[in-house]
Structure formats: structure tokens, C-alpha cells
Amino acid sequence: MSFYEYVKDKRYFLALYGGIMLFVSLLMAVSVSPSLGMDNIIYMNAACLLAVTAYLAIGYRYRRSFYRELSELLTRDGEQTAAALPEPQTAQQRLFVGVIAKLQREHMKQMQRAIAEHRDHQDFILSWIHEVKLPIAASRLVMENGSDKSSEELIDKLEDELGKIDNYVEQALYYSRIDSFSKDYFISEVPLEAVLKESVKKFAKLFITKRIRLRLDETFPYIHSDRKWLGYIIDQIVANALKYTPEDGAITIRFEEDAYERRLRIEDTGIGIKQEDLPRVFDKGFTGTNGRSYAKSTGMGLYLAKQMAIKLGHDLSILSEEGRYTSVTIHFPRAGTYLHWKA
């Protein structure tokens, strides 16, 4: 900051000073004889002007180091930190430096969050690519080694692999749209029974192949939700149940309610989840011991289901005992208030 800019910033002080000196000079001029009064006015104005000039010069010299460090900070390349800010000299400067430091901390948090999300996105894409390559490779093997198989058998196996690819593509699609959720949902009365039947029908072949029994309540009520997103949540839970339930197992779907909420419980007789893994099953990318050793998993299915449930105003919870069962519950609030998510 130049001396001219410093003086310019003091323009209101100088205007006040000029007004006071004008008032005092006029008062002196009418209070004493003209000859004596004029000399006193000149001396007084000269002395006061000298004092103000000295005040501005000394003040500029004192503040110059602070302004110089700020100017150098603006011209530096690379990331700046709060530690690089000059030491404040006044209460006002301390306030400004504190605001800048706070904004910088918020910026760093947002940047770290963006970096973490970008890293998670890359990890998901890499994992998704590896996963989707498996059914593609399996389809090629089926076609290459299908000369001794009937066309019906080939079509059946290819349909299985295409179904896996379709599920992976659907997962990637929902993952890409999770941040713009508020633009693509509509809360209405949804027939829960119809949504459940659509999901079960989608996995009917796997139910038959693994000889897994399905137990459904006789009736299900209407609930307030978005049909498409709720369908995806249920699909993910049923898919997980089928993946980790051995042959001749069972999956039970029942509806419960009390004075506070309504619940859809989907329980399987599968391999269960270790207790140390249970608190993290809804974390992004978490596969757990079963996901790593028992079946291939991206660790995104339950994470997406949990995020969608929360944004719909619902919630997900899970109970499990290793080697016995896993029970996932979708909680629907009774009150007619739902979260409105801002993207």
C-alpha cells in the first residue's frame, strides 16, 4: 500500500479534521480582534496540520509492514495457509485476519472432502470395472465352450450373465445420481406389496436356482415414499440376502408397525455378519470379511440403500448373528414429514 492509498483511506478522518479546524477558526475570528485573531488562526492551523501530518506519517510507517506482507502474500504462488498471514497490529486487523483464517479452514475442509469423494469415486469406478468384466468374460467362455450345449442352455447362462451386467450398470447409474437426488424423486402413496413383488420377480430365477424359500406376509399396506428409489433399496437388500444365503435357505419379508413407525423387515437364514463388521456395513466401499472371502462385492449396495433411505425420510438398520441370520429393516415414519434434500 502506497502513502497516497493510506491517506485516501483516512479521507473521512481528514474531512472531520478540516471541518473542526474550519469551525474553530471561524469561532476565533469573531471572538477576538481581526489582527490578533488572524495570527493565532494561522499558527493554530499550521501547528495542527503539522501534528496531523506527523500522525499520518508515523501511522503509515507503523502499518506499512503489515500491508507489505499482505501484498507479498497476494503475489506468491502455491497454497497459502493461515500461518502465512501477517501478525495483526490492531483489533480491526485481528478481526479481519480471524475471518480470513476461518474461511481458509472451511475451504480446506471442503477441499479435503472433495478430494476424498473423488478418491472414493475412482475406487468405485475401478472396482466396478473389475466386477463388470467378470460376467463379460464368463459370457465369452459360455459362447466359446458352448458347442456341446443346447441353445436353451446357452441362452439361459447368457441371460444370467446379462442380468449381472444389468445390475452393475444400474448400481453405477444410481451412484452417479445420488448427489442430484432432489431433482428425481416424488413422495406419494406407494403399494408396498407391488414393489416387493416386482423385486422378487426380478430375482425369481436365483430363488429357484438356489432353492431358497420365500415367506411373505399376506398383505402389505400403502406407505409414503418414492416408488422407483424404494424399489432400488429393496432390490439391494434382497440381492444381498440371496448372495449370502446358501442353498435351501429361506428369506422372510414381513411388515410391522407400532405407535412411532412402520417397518419392513427382510430376514434371511444366511451366513450372517461378524459383530465387528456390523457397525460398518453401511459405510461406502466396505465389504467386510464375507464380501472379501465369500462373494465378490463392491461394497456400494448397502451404502447406496442407506443414503437413499435417509434422503427419502426413512432409515435402515441391521441385525445379524454370524452363521444364523441377517435382518435388514426399512423404517418408515408415521408422521407426514419427510426430509427435503437439497443437492
Side-chain angles (χ1 to χ4, degrees):
M1 174 183 284
S2 66
F3 183 71
Y4 169 75
E5 291 173 329
Y6 178 78
V7 172
K8 186 179 179 181
D9 284 347
K10 299 289 185 179
R11 59 187 178 274
Y12 298 113
F13 165 75
L14 294 175
L16 177 64
Y17 162 76
I20 292 173
M21 293 309 297
L22 179 62
F23 172 75
V24 172
S25 299
L26 291 174
L27 190 62
M28 290 180 65
V30 299
S31 298
V32 297
S33 62
S35 58
L36 182 61
M38 186 57 65
D39 291 339
N40 290 337
I41 291 171
I42 292 173
Y43 292 147
M44 181 193 66
N45 278 274
C48 291
L49 180 61
L50 182 62
V52 168
T53 303
Y55 165 79
L56 292 175
I58 294 170
Y60 174 70
R61 183 179 179 84
Y62 179 66
R63 302 279 188 267
R64 185 172 55 180
S65 60
F66 179 81
Y67 296 130
R68 186 191 300 119
E69 289 182 44
L70 277 182
S71 298
E72 291 174 357
L73 200 60
L74 289 173
T75 58
R76 290 179 197 168
D77 293 330
E79 182 181 340
Q80 306 297 334
T81 64
L85 292 171
E87 188 68 24
Q89 298 170 335
T90 65
Q92 185 184 54
Q93 290 176 1
R94 277 193 293 274
L95 183 61
F96 288 154
V97 169
V99 170
I100 293 171
K102 182 179 179 181
L103 291 174
Q104 192 172 55
R105 287 193 299 269
E106 293 298 323
H107 170 71
M108 291 299 295
K109 287 179 183 178
Q110 291 178 6
M111 187 168 65
Q112 289 170 359
R113 192 180 303 119
I115 291 172
E117 289 177 356
H118 179 68
R119 190 182 299 116
D120 289 341
H121 181 76
Q122 283 186 316
D123 291 342
F124 170 74
I125 293 298
L126 289 173
S127 175
W128 183 86
I129 289 172
H130 287 300
E131 294 298 325
V132 82
K133 283 172 67 177
L134 292 176
I136 293 174
S139 299
R140 288 199 182 115
L141 286 174
V142 168
M143 290 186 291
E144 290 172 1
N145 302 323
S147 56
D148 57 340
K149 296 182 176 64
S150 64
S151 59
E152 288 81 5
E153 189 176 356
L154 284 175
I155 291 173
D156 187 61
K157 289 186 177 295
L158 287 174
E159 282 181 348
D160 288 342
E161 302 306 325
L162 285 173
K164 294 176 184 178
I165 294 173
D166 183 60
N167 288 335
Y168 286 131
V169 170
E170 186 179 49
Q171 187 181 78
L173 177 63
Y174 277 92
Y175 178 74
S176 68
R177 294 162 69 182
I178 192 71
D179 290 332
S180 58
F181 178 84
S182 63
K183 301 176 184 177
D184 191 31
Y185 82 101
F186 178 72
I187 298 295
S188 62
E189 283 197 338
V190 176
L192 189 55
E193 184 174 359
V195 177
L196 286 168
K197 286 182 178 179
E198 288 173 5
S199 182
V200 170
K201 184 178 179 181
K202 186 180 297 185
F203 299 104
K205 190 173 182 181
L206 194 53
F207 272 99
I208 295 170
T209 302
K210 296 184 73 173
R211 299 189 299 278
I212 293 177
R213 299 181 303 279
L214 176 65
R215 299 165 182 161
L216 279 172
D217 278 354
E218 293 184 0
T219 58
F220 291 91
Y222 280 73
I223 50 93
H224 287 88
S225 187
D226 178 271
R227 181 164 183 160
K228 179 180 66 176
W229 294 89
L230 178 62
Y232 180 79
I233 293 170
I234 293 173
D235 286 350
Q236 292 302 308
I237 299 171
V238 173
N240 264 21
L242 286 167
K243 183 187 294 185
Y244 297 112
T245 300
E247 293 184 358
D248 298 316
I251 294 176
T252 303
I253 303 177
R254 60 180 180 270
F255 185 82
E256 306 167 348
E257 60 182 322
D258 54 32
Y260 303 101
E261 65 176 9
R262 313 170 92 186
R263 297 180 294 274
L264 178 67
R265 192 182 301 275
I266 301 174
E267 184 174 317
D268 63 66
T269 58
I271 61 175
I273 303 170
K274 289 187 174 182
Q275 290 304 305
E276 58 266 29
D277 289 342
L278 206 54
R280 300 177 59 196
V281 293
F282 295 119
D283 291 352
K284 182 188 290 188
F286 181 73
T287 56
T289 305
N290 294 335
R292 291 189 294 271
S293 59
Y294 187 84
K296 295 290 184 181
S297 175
T298 60
M300 295 301 294
L302 286 179
Y303 164 77
L304 288 174
K306 177 77 169 181
Q307 295 303 309
M308 291 176 186
I310 292 173
K311 292 179 179 183
L312 286 170
H314 313 329
D315 197 8
L316 284 187
S317 64
I318 188 166
L319 295 172
S320 184
E321 185 177 335
E322 189 176 9
R324 291 193 59 192
Y325 77 96
T326 297
S327 175
V328 181
T329 303
I330 306 175
H331 301 264
F332 304 99
R334 273 194 171 279
T337 55
Y338 287 84
L339 298 180
H340 295 279
W341 180 263
K342 293 185 179 181

